[in-house]
Amino acid sequence: MIYILKSDKDPIINESYLSHNVCLLSLLQIQFHDFSLDLEQINKADYLLFTSKNALKAIINHSYFDLLANKQALFIGEKSKNIWLQKGGKYAVSPADLGVSECNNGKKFAEIISPIVNGKNILYLCGKDRATDFKVLLKDSFIQEVIVYSSIENCNPDTNLSNISENAQSSDTFEDESIFIFGSPKHYQVFCKYYRWNLSWLAISLGDTTFQSFGNNVRKLNAKGNFQKALKVAQALCGTTPLQHNIPVDVDNVF
């Protein structure tokens, strides 16, 4: 069985991905903040910085979006950049635009954008739980953080299981050989709080930071930001019993 760890408002997940052996496990709730922006903040900013689709969603729904849409925006993800442009954003830059085909963590992203934001004012729209401290990594820039959402732990995760047989809904285990796709370190941390890790399970991360958060005894793969690839590999591996002990680190090397 494949489990996609998601937040309740996660814009990545499309119901069409679900099948007889794929289900969603929602352990986090996204709570959008009633944040404020003023014209001085917006006018002062040379760049907007986005590392989260939820932050992007919060800004798109803000009353000042039309003003923000005229700003140069930096995106760690190509899909977020495309959403920004589709919604009316005028200027957007992703690692691909700077000649980097793959960027899977905040540290690398900071290295990529550092030359163009040096000495510039950056308005960083982000969540409360941030895996990367851009104020440290971009110390030669002037960064103002605006927290636009929080991810809140669900108090009763078992109620968020869908398409799972009754005998799987225990507090500490799923089926042997289960595969879990984690989109963030916090998803993994909350999962481990409620469920004891079974050594037959496989964890697939959507990025380097999440991959590095996995325990040493965890079988793991890194999809490097590609959800569709992670799901494709998980579905292929579902036909392999038992899962191999010596599996590659990157999903590109699975086939």
Side-chain angles (χ1 to χ4, degrees):
M1 195 73 175
I2 301 167
Y3 300 95
I4 302 171
L5 278 291
K6 65 178 288 292
S7 303
D8 63 331
K9 295 183 177 65
D10 194 336
I12 298 175
I13 301 300
N14 186 317
E15 294 295 330
S16 65
Y17 293 138
L18 301 183
S19 65
H20 70 282
N21 68 338
V22 180
C23 66
L24 307 179
L25 178 55
S26 179
L27 299 185
L28 296 174
Q29 295 178 337
I30 297 300
Q31 184 179 82
F32 290 105
H33 292 195
D34 185 17
F35 64 95
S36 62
L37 292 171
D38 58 50
L39 292 176
E40 183 179 356
Q41 281 179 303
I42 297 173
N43 292 332
K44 186 178 179 181
D46 298 302
Y47 291 95
L48 307 179
L49 176 61
F50 292 95
T51 58
S52 161
K53 286 186 174 69
N54 284 311
L56 175 58
K57 184 175 182 179
I59 292 302
I60 287 174
N61 293 324
H62 196 274
S63 59
Y64 279 165
F65 175 71
D66 288 342
L67 294 175
L68 294 165
N70 289 309
K71 290 290 181 178
Q72 298 186 80
L74 303 166
F75 295 91
I76 192 171
E78 192 71 17
K79 288 186 178 180
S80 292
K81 183 193 78 171
N82 291 336
I83 292 172
W84 176 260
L85 294 173
Q86 290 167 7
K87 294 296 184 179
K90 302 297 189 297
Y91 312 99
V93 176
S94 67
D97 298 314
L98 301 174
V100 179
S101 59
E102 191 174 87
C103 181
N104 310 302
N105 61 72
K107 183 177 180 180
K108 184 174 182 179
F109 185 47
E111 293 173 355
I112 294 169
I113 65 175
S114 178
I116 65 175
V117 300
N118 187 24
K120 302 295 185 180
N121 290 295
I122 300 173
L123 191 59
Y124 180 25
L125 295 312
C126 56
K128 183 177 180 181
D129 299 304
R130 300 175 296 287
T132 303
D133 190 342
F134 283 96
K135 286 187 175 181
V136 172
L137 295 176
L138 298 174
K139 61 182 185 301
D140 294 324
S141 302
F142 305 97
I143 298 179
Q144 182 175 5
E145 293 181 348
V146 178
I147 297 175
V148 299
Y149 75 93
S150 298
S151 52
I152 309 299
E153 183 179 316
N154 275 355
C155 60
N156 186 11
D158 282 339
T159 63
N160 296 289
L161 298 172
S162 60
N163 301 338
I164 304 176
S165 60
E166 288 295 327
N167 60 7
Q169 296 189 36
S170 64
S171 62
D172 63 352
T173 190
F174 294 82
E175 305 92 329
D176 285 348
E177 308 294 336
S178 291
I179 299 175
F180 298 87
I181 299 175
F182 293 96
S184 73
K186 188 167 184 179
H187 279 112
Y188 174 68
Q189 292 162 6
V190 173
F191 180 88
C192 290
K193 178 178 178 179
Y194 287 99
Y195 303 104
R196 185 175 66 250
W197 191 262
N198 181 321
L199 295 180
S200 75
W201 295 344
L202 173 68
I204 301 180
S205 74
L206 296 185
D208 292 347
T209 306
T210 303
F211 184 80
Q212 292 162 6
S213 73
F214 293 154
N216 293 331
N217 64 336
V218 174
R219 291 174 175 171
K220 50 198 170 187
L221 292 173
N222 188 349
K224 295 187 175 295
N226 193 319
F227 172 75
Q228 287 79 9
K229 185 182 292 184
L231 185 57
K232 180 180 178 181
V233 169
Q235 289 171 327
L237 289 174
C238 270
T240 304
T241 305
L243 291 173
Q244 299 301 308
H245 287 274
N246 297 316
I247 55 178
V249 169
D250 297 335
V251 296
D252 288 333
N253 298 320
V254 170
F255 299 113

